[in-house]
Amino acid sequence: SHLRALFDHLPIAVLLADDRAQYVDANAAAAELFQRRRDELIGATVSDVIAPTARAAVELQWQAFLRDGEQSG
């Protein structure tokens, strides 16, 4: 589809996560950014790709996102 092609070829990293913070899709730019294959990102969690020192802060942000339904920054 056209949306799939757009997603796959965006020059910026895009990761789609479910409510459990598990990645369900990633584009090529995301794979390049995290130096992983796309299939390695899918199924990984947000915590899997960030520095251990940032995990507590990211978990708080994730919970706020789920509660509020949106986030920007």
Side-chain angles (χ1 to χ4, degrees):
S1 82
H2 293 296
L3 288 177
R4 181 82 228 177
L6 177 65
F7 177 80
D8 288 341
H9 294 95
L10 281 171
I12 59 170
V14 178
L15 293 148
L16 302 177
D18 63 17
D19 288 350
R20 297 171 295 152
Q22 190 171 30
Y23 294 122
V24 296
D25 209 346
N27 68 359
E32 185 177 333
L33 175 68
F34 289 106
Q35 299 180 341
R36 298 182 185 200
R37 293 187 326 266
R38 181 179 169 270
D39 65 321
E40 291 176 317
L41 287 171
I42 295 172
T45 65
V46 173
S47 292
D48 292 334
V49 298
I50 60 171
T53 56
R55 288 185 180 146
V58 169
E59 179 60 29
L60 288 174
Q61 291 173 337
W62 185 259
Q63 293 306 315
F65 169 69
L66 292 176
R67 181 190 65 238
D68 300 339
E70 65 181 282
Q71 192 174 58
S72 64

